Amino acid sequence: MTGHVTAPAAALADQLPDWVTLLRAPNPGPMTLDGTNTWLLRAPDQELGVVVDPGPADEGHLAAVAARGPIGLVLITHGHPDHTEGARRLSELLGGVPVLAADPAHTLGGSPLAAGASPDVPGLTVRLVPAPGHTADSVCFLVEHAAERVVLTGDTILGRGTTVVAHPDGHLGDYLASLELLSTYRGIPALPGHGPALADCGAAADFYLAHRRARLDQVRAAVAAGVGTAAEVVAAVYADVDRSLWWAAEWSVRAQLEYLAVPTRESGDGGTELEQP
């Protein structure tokens, strides 16, 4: 989800390796930007490729992905439906290829991805980069061929704007740590789950970290000023966000309040009040 930041977090990538192909799903919206990015990676002179994030259960999109076969493996960055809903059907279209994710619920025909995993893709070196925070199961993939590298960032880093911390599954402390890790990937293009590819994953992570820390300062100030509920924090801190997205901003606010150790309690009208420390 984008907040007041709607521009890319780093310079756009003007060129990607010729072994990278983007197939964008036709599901544009406020939370998905131009649509979910399905990435196809295939090393030169290799028959089998790998798909990252099949996207929604859109038959036309999945058929277009399958038409780029043969594909030997499908990888998942995290379990949100706009990334995973089409996974089972795509696997069927590809003859039952495995689908690997950190969450067993989204894993088909193989073992769930764990720290240190290096999925076998002919001609490519693929390394799992644990990146919890947006969701508990979020991962990124560092992929290398010859001297070229890319990082597939899912929703941890978007191509435009910023993302939500999907509390309570997402956790802000984990997210900040994941951004710190991604900030070390200097000069490596980021292939996000939504929006355009970015030229420098490390620079984008730096931008995100600065943005998150600024938001935390705003939340601290709002709490100190005596706001009573998480919804009131949203109104104070995310006033620049379209009201139709305030429900999603409240996810991030709840994650921020948890991170700041601000206790909350249910109010009589069903809202959530903050108990001042």
Side-chain angles (χ1 to χ4, degrees):
M1 184 199 111
T2 59
H4 78 282
V5 178
T6 57
L12 300 184
D14 56 11
Q15 187 174 358
L16 293 175
D18 59 10
W19 42 271
V20 173
T21 301
L22 169 61
L23 297 101
R24 182 169 289 134
N27 62 331
M31 301 292 287
T32 57
L33 303 180
D34 306 312
T36 301
N37 292 339
T38 296
W39 296 99
L40 170 62
L41 313 178
R42 178 180 286 109
D45 303 320
Q46 292 291 334
E47 181 181 18
L48 292 177
V50 59
V51 165
V52 179
D53 286 348
D58 181 275
E59 194 69 18
H61 172 66
L62 299 174
V65 175
R68 298 297 188 106
I71 293 162
L73 182 64
V74 176
L75 297 175
I76 301 293
T77 61
H78 68 292
H80 280 164
D82 57 309
H83 294 256
T84 62
E85 194 177 48
R88 184 175 295 275
R89 175 59 176 155
L90 180 60
S91 176
E92 293 172 354
L93 291 172
L94 296 172
V97 303
V99 177
L100 303 185
D103 187 343
H106 300 292
T107 299
L108 302 170
S111 299
L113 295 168
S118 183
D120 185 17
V121 180
L124 301 176
T125 300
V126 181
R127 296 187 179 91
L128 178 74
V129 180
H134 170 66
T135 61
D137 68 335
S138 288
V139 300
C140 299
F141 298 100
L142 176 64
V143 183
E144 183 173 1
H145 172 73
E148 296 178 307
R149 294 187 291 173
V150 297
V151 183
L152 293 109
T153 59
D155 284 2
T156 301
I157 292 177
L158 302 179
R160 189 171 69 249
T162 56
T163 194
V164 298
V165 176
H167 185 270
D169 182 48
H171 185 274
L172 183 56
D174 290 343
Y175 187 57
L176 295 174
S178 295
L179 291 176
E180 292 278 7
L181 174 59
L182 292 174
S183 73
T184 67
Y185 289 69
R186 298 287 167 185
I188 303 175
L191 309 184
H194 306 278
L198 303 175
D200 190 333
C201 180
D206 285 347
F207 181 93
Y208 269 43
L209 281 165
H211 171 74
R212 287 291 168 187
R213 288 164 179 158
R215 283 297 200 203
L216 278 171
D217 287 342
Q218 292 175 310
V219 171
R220 286 189 187 97
V223 171
V227 296
T229 67
E232 289 174 358
V233 176
V234 172
V237 174
Y238 289 83
D240 52 350
V241 175
D242 190 291
R243 282 178 174 265
S244 67
L245 295 176
W246 278 15
W247 64 271
E250 193 164 330
W251 284 352
S252 286
V253 165
R254 292 182 185 279
Q256 290 158 347
L257 295 172
E258 179 184 62
Y259 180 78
L260 294 172
V262 177
T264 62
R265 62 180 174 83
E266 292 301 312
S267 65
D269 63 1
T272 300
E273 290 188 0
L274 309 182
E275 293 181 349
Q276 300 301 317

